[in-house]
Amino acid sequence: EEKNIQLQAECSNLEKQVNEIASKRDAHIIELDTTEKILYELKDKVYKTNRTLDARQNEYNLTKSLVENLEGFPASVKFLKKNARWIKDAPLLSDVFSVPEEFKVAYENYLEPYLSYYVVKTRQDAILSVHMLAEAAKGRANFFILEEFEAYKPATPLLFNQAKAAIDASEFADAYKKLAAYLLDKVYIVNDEIDIPDDVPEGIIFLTRIGNLSRRRFILSGGSLGLFEGKRLGRAKNLEKLDKEIGKLQKQLTGEKVELDRSIAKLESL
């Protein structure tokens, strides 16, 4: 009986140990499954981030090439950028404005006649450029002269139920505020042509959001849209945004790879 009591106590102790080990085993299996799932998710995240980073890097390289080579601009513009030292830091109008993607075609179509204009600080810069082009027989160029906008007074904006002022949907540096006002003061964006009032006030211009139609008093313009419309406006600004986005993606990718390495090490340990 004494031996029986002793064996029962030993059996009870061993049963307790078995239960503890079984509990640890179950927890270990759960942790193993969880780590495998996390590892799978991290691999997927790294793959997607890598793809996004590659896409943004390619877009950045293409945009940089377009900006540096002034693709789509007249030979006179390229000549001045390359040879006129006073033009080196002068932006083209296409690089002054930045607008949301949904409005790019509308703004670009409206500003089309001015996109290749240089924005220079002084009249002297423009005169020197014109003389250089004439002497080299390299064509003609146009200039907006910032110092002459100092006296310009923007018009008082009008209120329309279904339209927003074009200047409110665009981004530009403070130095170009009056230039922007001069070009966009009386321009309004509407979602669709049905939002344009029947009686268009004198001097007011309405643009549809997608850029297929513009309306001013007595005049309506529009038609089909080309595949490459909306690609010239805001290239320089887009380059800055892409550079920042690429930096964030690179940092994100590094963090995700560190997490992935930790999960792989933990899985191997488990």
Side-chain angles (χ1 to χ4, degrees), residues 84 86-87 90 120-130 143:
W86 56 89
I87 287 290
V120 295
K121 292 180 180 178
T122 66
R123 188 187 309 171
Q124 185 64 20
D125 291 339
I127 290 171
L128 286 172
S129 301
V130 168
F143 307 85

Side-chain angles (χ1 to χ4, degrees), residues 66 101 104 108 227-233 235:
L66 292 172
E101 198 67 35
K104 272 191 175 181
E108 188 172 298
L227 291 174
F228 298 102
E229 290 189 56
K231 303 298 183 185
R232 295 172 65 192
L233 192 66
R235 283 178 182 173

Side-chain angles (χ1 to χ4, degrees), residues 99 103-111 166-167 169-170 184 189 233:
V99 297
F103 299 136
K104 272 191 175 181
V105 175
Y107 279 75
E108 188 172 298
N109 284 344
Y110 172 68
L111 295 170
I167 199 167
S170 58
L184 299 174
I189 303 290
L233 192 66

Side-chain angles (χ1 to χ4, degrees), residues 38-54:
I38 290 171
L39 187 63
Y40 176 80
E41 289 171 2
L42 282 171
K43 282 182 178 178
D44 190 51
K45 278 176 72 177
V46 167
Y47 172 73
K48 286 178 179 176
T49 304
N50 236 329
R51 282 193 63 182
T52 304
L53 180 59
D54 284 345

Side-chain angles (χ1 to χ4, degrees), residues 22-137:
S23 180
K24 285 181 181 178
R25 179 204 58 196
D26 292 344
H28 186 89
I29 290 170
I30 291 170
E31 191 175 7
L32 193 63
D33 287 343
T34 302
T35 304
E36 283 179 339
K37 285 176 184 175
I38 290 171
L39 187 63
Y40 176 80
E41 289 171 2
L42 282 171
K43 282 182 178 178
D44 190 51
K45 278 176 72 177
V46 167
Y47 172 73
K48 286 178 179 176
T49 304
N50 236 329
R51 282 193 63 182
T52 304
L53 180 59
D54 284 345
R56 294 295 176 272
Q57 190 65 59
N58 290 336
E59 188 180 351
Y60 176 85
N61 293 339
L62 176 62
T63 305
K64 188 177 181 183
S65 174
L66 292 172
V67 169
E68 290 176 351
N69 299 320
L70 294 173
E71 292 292 335
F73 291 97
S76 58
V77 169
K78 296 177 183 178
F79 175 79
L80 287 174
K81 182 62 80 174
K82 186 177 180 181
N83 297 283
R85 67 181 184 280
W86 56 89
I87 287 290
K88 295 289 183 186
D89 298 323
L92 292 166
L93 184 77
S94 58
D95 294 330
V96 167
F97 289 98
S98 177
V99 297
E101 198 67 35
E102 60 180 314
F103 299 136
K104 272 191 175 181
V105 175
Y107 279 75
E108 188 172 298
N109 284 344
Y110 172 68
L111 295 170
E112 172 64 31
Y114 312 111
L115 290 180
S116 60
Y117 280 39
Y118 272 113
V119 182
V120 295
K121 292 180 180 178
T122 66
R123 188 187 309 171
Q124 185 64 20
D125 291 339
I127 290 171
L128 286 172
S129 301
V130 168
H131 287 166
M132 177 178 272
L133 288 171
E135 288 169 11

Side-chain angles (χ1 to χ4, degrees), residues 101-234:
E101 198 67 35
E102 60 180 314
F103 299 136
K104 272 191 175 181
V105 175
Y107 279 75
E108 188 172 298
N109 284 344
Y110 172 68
L111 295 170
E112 172 64 31
Y114 312 111
L115 290 180
S116 60
Y117 280 39
Y118 272 113
V119 182
V120 295
K121 292 180 180 178
T122 66
R123 188 187 309 171
Q124 185 64 20
D125 291 339
I127 290 171
L128 286 172
S129 301
V130 168
H131 287 166
M132 177 178 272
L133 288 171
E135 288 169 11
K138 288 293 184 179
R140 304 168 66 85
N142 300 286
F143 307 85
F144 284 116
I145 302 166
L146 286 179
E147 67 177 6
E148 296 188 1
F149 281 100
E150 291 302 319
Y152 178 74
K153 292 183 179 179
T156 303
L158 301 177
L159 295 176
F160 296 98
N161 291 332
Q162 305 296 330
K164 65 187 295 184
I167 199 167
D168 293 340
S170 58
E171 296 176 26
F172 43 83
D174 286 341
Y176 309 116
K177 192 172 182 178
K178 289 199 172 181
L179 170 60
Y182 171 75
L183 291 168
L184 299 174
D185 247 355
K186 298 178 180 180
V187 183
Y188 295 83
I189 303 290
V190 295
N191 279 329
D192 201 84
E193 59 190 88
I194 60 171
D195 298 322
I196 300 173
D198 294 331
D199 185 19
V200 177
E202 181 66 43
I204 299 298
I205 300 167
F206 290 98
L207 308 175
T208 54
R209 181 176 54 80
I210 61 171
N212 66 330
L213 184 144
S214 68
R215 178 84 166 95
R216 64 186 77 196
R217 198 172 192 187
F218 310 128
I219 300 172
L220 187 147
S221 306
S224 63
L225 300 174
L227 291 174
F228 298 102
E229 290 189 56
K231 303 298 183 185
R232 295 172 65 192
L233 192 66

